PDB file of all heavy atoms in Angstrom:
ATOM      1  N   THR A  42       5.015 -13.961   4.631  1.00 96.00           N
ATOM      2  CA  THR A  42       6.295 -14.464   4.136  1.00 96.00           C
ATOM      3  C   THR A  42       7.344 -13.372   3.987  1.00 96.00           C
ATOM      4  O   THR A  42       8.532 -13.668   3.950  1.00 96.00           O
ATOM      5  CB  THR A  42       6.104 -15.185   2.788  1.00 96.00           C
ATOM      6  OG1 THR A  42       5.514 -14.278   1.850  1.00 96.00           O
ATOM      7  CG2 THR A  42       5.212 -16.412   2.957  1.00 96.00           C
ATOM      8  N   ASN A  43       6.917 -12.112   3.903  1.00 97.00           N
ATOM      9  CA  ASN A  43       7.885 -11.013   3.801  1.00 97.00           C
ATOM     10  C   ASN A  43       7.175  -9.679   4.000  1.00 97.00           C
ATOM     11  O   ASN A  43       5.986  -9.541   3.701  1.00 97.00           O
ATOM     12  CB  ASN A  43       8.575 -11.014   2.437  1.00 97.00           C
ATOM     13  CG  ASN A  43       9.771 -10.074   2.410  1.00 97.00           C
ATOM     14  OD1 ASN A  43      10.477  -9.927   3.394  1.00 97.00           O
ATOM     15  ND2 ASN A  43       9.996  -9.433   1.280  1.00 97.00           N
ATOM     16  N   ILE A  44       7.927  -8.718   4.489  1.00 97.00           N
ATOM     17  CA  ILE A  44       7.465  -7.334   4.603  1.00 97.00           C
ATOM     18  C   ILE A  44       8.548  -6.456   3.997  1.00 97.00           C
ATOM     19  O   ILE A  44       9.739  -6.652   4.257  1.00 97.00           O
ATOM     20  CB  ILE A  44       7.210  -6.913   6.064  1.00 97.00           C
ATOM     21  CG1 ILE A  44       6.110  -7.787   6.691  1.00 97.00           C
ATOM     22  CG2 ILE A  44       6.843  -5.431   6.155  1.00 97.00           C
ATOM     23  CD1 ILE A  44       5.906  -7.558   8.177  1.00 97.00           C
ATOM     24  N   THR A  45       8.121  -5.486   3.190  1.00 97.00           N
ATOM     25  CA  THR A  45       9.045  -4.513   2.612  1.00 97.00           C
ATOM     26  C   THR A  45       8.503  -3.114   2.875  1.00 97.00           C
ATOM     27  O   THR A  45       7.335  -2.836   2.599  1.00 97.00           O
ATOM     28  CB  THR A  45       9.204  -4.720   1.093  1.00 97.00           C
ATOM     29  OG1 THR A  45       9.666  -6.053   0.853  1.00 97.00           O
ATOM     30  CG2 THR A  45      10.191  -3.724   0.502  1.00 97.00           C
ATOM     31  N   VAL A  46       9.344  -2.256   3.422  1.00 97.00           N
ATOM     32  CA  VAL A  46       9.007  -0.837   3.594  1.00 97.00           C
ATOM     33  C   VAL A  46       9.876  -0.077   2.606  1.00 97.00           C
ATOM     34  O   VAL A  46      11.099  -0.229   2.601  1.00 97.00           O
ATOM     35  CB  VAL A  46       9.270  -0.358   5.033  1.00 97.00           C
ATOM     36  CG1 VAL A  46       8.990   1.138   5.163  1.00 97.00           C
ATOM     37  CG2 VAL A  46       8.435  -1.160   6.026  1.00 97.00           C
ATOM     38  N   SER A  47       9.242   0.726   1.766  1.00 96.00           N
ATOM     39  CA  SER A  47       9.982   1.482   0.749  1.00 96.00           C
ATOM     40  C   SER A  47       9.857   2.971   0.980  1.00 96.00           C
ATOM     41  O   SER A  47       8.745   3.494   1.128  1.00 96.00           O
ATOM     42  CB  SER A  47       9.473   1.130  -0.653  1.00 96.00           C
ATOM     43  OG  SER A  47       9.721  -0.229  -0.937  1.00 96.00           O
ATOM     44  N   LEU A  48      11.010   3.634   1.034  1.00 94.00           N
ATOM     45  CA  LEU A  48      11.055   5.094   1.059  1.00 94.00           C
ATOM     46  C   LEU A  48      11.150   5.504  -0.410  1.00 94.00           C
ATOM     47  O   LEU A  48      12.236   5.535  -0.984  1.00 94.00           O
ATOM     48  CB  LEU A  48      12.248   5.589   1.864  1.00 94.00           C
ATOM     49  CG  LEU A  48      12.356   5.062   3.296  1.00 94.00           C
ATOM     50  CD1 LEU A  48      13.627   5.571   3.961  1.00 94.00           C
ATOM     51  CD2 LEU A  48      11.143   5.424   4.101  1.00 94.00           C
ATOM     52  N   LEU A  49      10.010   5.761  -1.018  1.00 93.00           N
ATOM     53  CA  LEU A  49       9.971   6.017  -2.452  1.00 93.00           C
ATOM     54  C   LEU A  49      10.542   7.387  -2.787  1.00 93.00           C
ATOM     55  O   LEU A  49      11.210   7.553  -3.805  1.00 93.00           O
ATOM     56  CB  LEU A  49       8.537   5.881  -2.959  1.00 93.00           C
ATOM     57  CG  LEU A  49       7.908   4.502  -2.716  1.00 93.00           C
ATOM     58  CD1 LEU A  49       6.434   4.526  -3.045  1.00 93.00           C
ATOM     59  CD2 LEU A  49       8.633   3.435  -3.498  1.00 93.00           C
ATOM     60  N   ASN A  50      10.284   8.357  -1.916  1.00 94.00           N
ATOM     61  CA  ASN A  50      10.768   9.712  -2.166  1.00 94.00           C
ATOM     62  C   ASN A  50      10.877  10.444  -0.831  1.00 94.00           C
ATOM     63  O   ASN A  50       9.882  10.944  -0.312  1.00 94.00           O
ATOM     64  CB  ASN A  50       9.828  10.449  -3.124  1.00 94.00           C
ATOM     65  CG  ASN A  50      10.326  11.834  -3.479  1.00 94.00           C
ATOM     66  OD1 ASN A  50      11.355  12.291  -2.996  1.00 94.00           O
ATOM     67  ND2 ASN A  50       9.574  12.514  -4.316  1.00 94.00           N
ATOM     68  N   VAL A  51      12.080  10.492  -0.284  1.00 94.00           N
ATOM     69  CA  VAL A  51      12.362  11.250   0.939  1.00 94.00           C
ATOM     70  C   VAL A  51      13.489  12.211   0.618  1.00 94.00           C
ATOM     71  O   VAL A  51      14.567  11.807   0.181  1.00 94.00           O
ATOM     72  CB  VAL A  51      12.764  10.327   2.112  1.00 94.00           C
ATOM     73  CG1 VAL A  51      13.177  11.143   3.317  1.00 94.00           C
ATOM     74  CG2 VAL A  51      11.620   9.375   2.464  1.00 94.00           C
ATOM     75  N   ASN A  52      13.222  13.495   0.806  1.00 91.00           N
ATOM     76  CA  ASN A  52      14.234  14.526   0.559  1.00 91.00           C
ATOM     77  C   ASN A  52      14.941  14.880   1.865  1.00 91.00           C
ATOM     78  O   ASN A  52      14.287  15.078   2.884  1.00 91.00           O
ATOM     79  CB  ASN A  52      13.591  15.791  -0.026  1.00 91.00           C
ATOM     80  CG  ASN A  52      13.013  15.549  -1.396  1.00 91.00           C
ATOM     81  OD1 ASN A  52      13.503  14.729  -2.160  1.00 91.00           O
ATOM     82  ND2 ASN A  52      11.945  16.268  -1.719  1.00 91.00           N
ATOM     83  N   GLU A  53      16.253  14.952   1.801  1.00 91.00           N
ATOM     84  CA  GLU A  53      17.066  15.320   2.965  1.00 91.00           C
ATOM     85  C   GLU A  53      18.447  15.711   2.458  1.00 91.00           C
ATOM     86  O   GLU A  53      19.000  15.049   1.586  1.00 91.00           O
ATOM     87  CB  GLU A  53      17.167  14.144   3.937  1.00 91.00           C
ATOM     88  CG  GLU A  53      18.165  14.312   5.058  1.00 91.00           C
ATOM     89  CD  GLU A  53      17.850  15.436   6.032  1.00 91.00           C
ATOM     90  OE1 GLU A  53      16.671  15.623   6.385  1.00 91.00           O
ATOM     91  OE2 GLU A  53      18.800  16.127   6.449  1.00 91.00           O
TER      92      GLU A  53
END
Side-chain angles (χ1 to χ4, degrees):
T42 58
N43 192 35
I44 299 173
T45 302
V46 177
S47 296
L48 305 177
L49 301 171
N50 183 358
V51 175
N52 294 329
E53 170 64 40

